[in-house]
Amino acid sequence: AGQAAGAEREYREVTIADPYIELHTGPGRGFPVFFVAERGDQIELVKRRTEWFKVRVARGEEGWVHFEQLQTTLNPDGEEFDLPALGFSDYAARRWEVGALYGDYGGANIITAYASRSFTPNLSGEVSVSEALGRFSDSTMATVDIVHLMYPDWRASPYFTLGAGVINTEPKATLVATVDRTDSLAQAGAGVRVYLTRRFVFRAEYKAHVVFTSRDDNEEVREWKAGFSFFF
């Protein structure tokens, strides 16, 4: 559990077999390269964050290397080093996640695409866009949520969400003039997340929405949906 929560695992020392590897200042291609280690140099694999390894070279410099540049590294005995596959500890250390959900929004079919950024193992921020296709009208929603994951070191964990956004409704057939088509909304929900394998997560949730119309009759809508996400 502690290993999954911290997502820092000690690895062994290996020897570079490629002509060189590039060390970045952070775990991403957008971070600048500040050091190049050459073939034959020994490096220590310190920890992993999804597809990036933090390494330490003999001179003491530490930087991040993409796993593709480590696929031909060698153990001290000269045998090829078998890089560990992505696993649950990588999920616990995730920073970004994108996914899609499908379900029911007050009797209409709804599909949601979202992106999430983790701030702590328990807390993350989420931005989503949804399209609800109903019998009499279609709605488009954009929302921002705070998500609290109860047990980030469990493969299956409940979570709670709280957020707000806007909804735009387009009637398919209008008998009277519709003035109020864009409204603000608030939402609260609960769900469960299940780590499946490698990069994939299953998610199912329920949300209660309150749509604040310009009239005095605010609308309450219930939503059920489930889907899959991809983390990195």
Side-chain angles (χ1 to χ4, degrees), residues 64-118:
W64 294 86
V65 179
H66 193 266
F67 85 99
E68 290 178 349
Q69 288 202 303
L70 296 174
Q71 289 182 327
T72 57
T73 53
L74 304 176
N75 285 318
D77 59 6
E79 296 295 327
E80 185 172 328
F81 177 55
D82 185 17
L83 287 174
L86 287 170
F88 177 62
S89 61
D90 299 293
Y91 164 66
R94 73 195 184 285
R95 292 295 181 270
W96 293 95
E97 182 178 327
V98 294
L101 306 168
Y102 178 81
D104 178 90
Y105 179 79
N109 296 321
I110 186 171
I111 184 168
T112 299
Y114 75 90
S116 175
R117 170 67 162 87
S118 296

Side-chain angles (χ1 to χ4, degrees), residues 159-229:
Y159 66 88
F160 300 94
T161 70
L162 185 65
V166 294
I167 180 170
N168 178 264
T169 302
E170 295 288 342
K172 292 183 176 179
T174 305
L175 299 179
V176 295
T178 301
V179 178
D180 186 9
R181 294 193 177 188
T182 301
D183 304 292
S184 59
L185 63 86
Q187 59 187 19
V192 62
R193 301 167 58 90
V194 182
Y195 170 73
L196 298 177
T197 182
R198 293 182 63 81
R199 294 179 174 272
F200 297 99
V201 180
F202 171 78
R203 173 173 173 174
E205 67 182 25
Y206 162 81
K207 284 185 178 180
H209 298 251
V210 177
V211 180
F212 303 103
T213 70
S214 59
R215 306 178 298 274
D216 293 329
D217 55 339
N218 294 335
E219 300 176 5
E220 297 183 2
V221 185
R222 297 180 179 181
E223 176 187 21
W224 297 89
K225 58 188 177 184
F228 299 91
S229 63

